[in-house]
Amino acid sequence: MPNLYILEMGLGRTHNPRDIREKDRMKAFGYVLAEDLEHAIALLGEHGARAKILAGGTDLLVELKHAVHNPEVIVDVSRLHELKTIAVADDGLHIGALVTHSDIMNSPVIRDMFPALVAAAHSIGAMQTRNLGTLGGNLVTCVPSMDSGPALIALDASVTVANAEGQRRMPLAELFVGPRKTSLKPGDLLVDIVIPKENLGKPAAFEKFGLRKGQALALVNVGASFWVGDNSVFVAPRIALGAVAPTVMRAPKAEAFLDGCKISAEAMAEAGRIAAMEAKPISDFRASADYRRDLVAVLVKRALANAQARATAKEKELVA
């Protein structure tokens, strides 16, 4: 029998299996391809905490290489076409959990209603990652620096979760519990993300700052939205911050300051300063906490200004 060799991913060299230490060896696991949503839910209900869900695989495959406790079975949901739709319904815009970042960038509906979501999707990784990575997968990894979270939370997005007992909906912010930890229970499957009907077309913007121009984790990212009220005041302002707390967070004090306030550059700058005080960043090898707070102030002001610019452009389109 010929010698068996394994390609060690990421190191670019091969090893005889006998040379690989036991602690570095990926444990064997089962694999099941879900045929449809009902089948996927049944599989997750059967295997519970022993199962991991495979969607785009951009995060899971890396995790499997380094996980101390590998799953007993992988449930592949990547072919569930019912989770790949983007559609406006009576209750708002539904984005399936398996919609990729490239799908978001190419969707005429999203590009028209929410350029902020397009900007957030475009900032995620390289083209290959955007082609494979899914919106649902990005959210359930629950990384504080995720790019999709702030833009969606700024639009009051909710998520639909299914399990063997049925479906439930909750605010997206309630999905996030801590770094890489969600409120999902064993057997749960994220089905879709919903932006409520009352926010369809709401002016919004997304801003991100990283250490390089492309394929960078955010030092800080910001989502902001508001309606322009009578006499040009802020109505229902929302500000969401990423990479400055254990999870993506709202800035309620900054929002309260803006609500009903006359729209101006000075008000936007003050909201940025307030949001910076609400942030809870840490210092690490990429940036200090103080630097991140300074970035929050700048990016909040910039996001609000860009949301105003989009509101103005939309108004001109309607007049024309």
Side-chain angles (χ1 to χ4, degrees):
M1 181 177 180
N3 290 332
L4 173 65
Y5 287 89
I6 298 174
L7 177 64
E8 189 171 303
M9 296 174 61
L11 297 180
R13 59 182 183 268
T14 58
H15 291 275
N16 189 302
R18 289 172 294 184
D19 297 331
I20 300 177
R21 292 173 299 177
E22 182 62 30
K23 74 181 185 66
D24 295 327
R25 193 186 301 274
M26 183 185 291
K27 303 297 189 297
F29 52 80
Y31 168 88
V32 186
L33 177 63
E35 299 172 357
D36 53 31
L37 181 57
E38 183 179 356
H39 186 212
I41 292 171
L43 289 169
L44 294 174
E46 176 185 352
H47 296 287
R50 297 169 299 173
K52 284 281 188 178
I53 299 170
L54 174 64
T58 56
D59 289 302
L60 178 63
L61 296 182
V62 175
E63 179 185 331
L64 289 176
K65 275 176 52 63
H66 303 287
V68 177
H69 303 291
N70 282 322
E72 292 184 12
V73 62
I74 296 292
V75 177
D76 186 346
V77 301
S78 63
R79 300 187 189 181
L80 303 188
H81 296 289
E82 57 265 55
L83 303 190
K84 298 182 179 183
T85 60
I86 300 172
V88 176
D90 291 341
D91 58 346
L93 175 65
H94 288 247
I95 306 174
L98 294 184
V99 167
T100 67
H101 307 300
S102 292
D103 291 336
I104 290 172
M105 292 168 59
N106 295 325
S107 166
V109 173
I110 295 179
R111 289 168 64 180
D112 178 57
M113 288 186 177
F114 301 113
L117 298 185
V118 175
H122 188 266
S123 72
I124 295 174
M127 181 185 298
Q128 294 90 336
T129 301
R130 296 192 292 270
N131 286 343
L132 285 173
T134 64
L135 178 58
N138 189 239
L139 295 175
V140 299
T141 55
C142 214
V143 177
S145 59
M146 72 172 73
D147 293 321
S148 56
L152 287 167
I153 286 182
L155 291 165
D156 297 321
S158 61
V159 293
T160 307
V161 177
N163 58 31
E165 298 177 357
Q167 295 191 356
R168 66 184 188 276
R169 189 174 294 179
M170 62 183 175
L172 172 59
E174 293 182 7
L175 179 69
F176 307 138
V177 173
R180 295 191 176 275
K181 185 177 180 181
T182 73
S183 60
L184 296 178
K185 301 294 190 294
D188 283 349
L189 177 65
L190 180 63
V191 174
D192 69 4
I193 298 89
V194 184
I195 297 174
K197 180 180 180 180
E198 59 269 23
N199 280 351
L200 295 185
K202 187 178 184 182
F206 172 80
E207 293 292 328
K208 173 181 177 176
F209 185 87
L211 292 179
R212 58 180 185 270
K213 194 168 184 179
Q215 301 184 42
L217 291 175
L219 288 184
V220 173
N221 52 22
V222 172
S225 73
F226 63 88
W227 293 107
V228 178
D230 295 338
N231 301 316
S232 295
V233 299
F234 291 97
V235 174
R238 298 288 185 271
I239 297 171
L241 312 174
V244 294
T247 65
V248 177
M249 61 171 285
R250 289 266 297 274
K253 293 180 181 178
E255 294 172 356
F257 165 78
L258 287 176
D259 202 9
C261 183
K262 188 79 172 179
I263 296 173
S264 67
E266 293 76 17
M268 295 176 189
E270 181 61 20
R273 286 190 287 269
I274 296 172
M277 296 304 296
E278 294 184 83
K280 303 171 184 177
I282 61 170
S283 294
D284 60 18
F285 69 94
R286 295 191 298 136
S288 68
D290 288 340
Y291 185 59
R292 284 188 165 97
R293 286 194 184 92
D294 289 342
L295 284 174
V296 169
V298 171
L299 295 184
V300 166
K301 178 183 177 182
R302 189 177 297 170
L304 290 168
N306 286 339
Q308 181 191 19
R310 284 172 181 157
T312 301
K314 203 69 176 178
E315 184 179 352
K316 289 181 179 178
E317 288 179 15
L318 294 174
V319 171

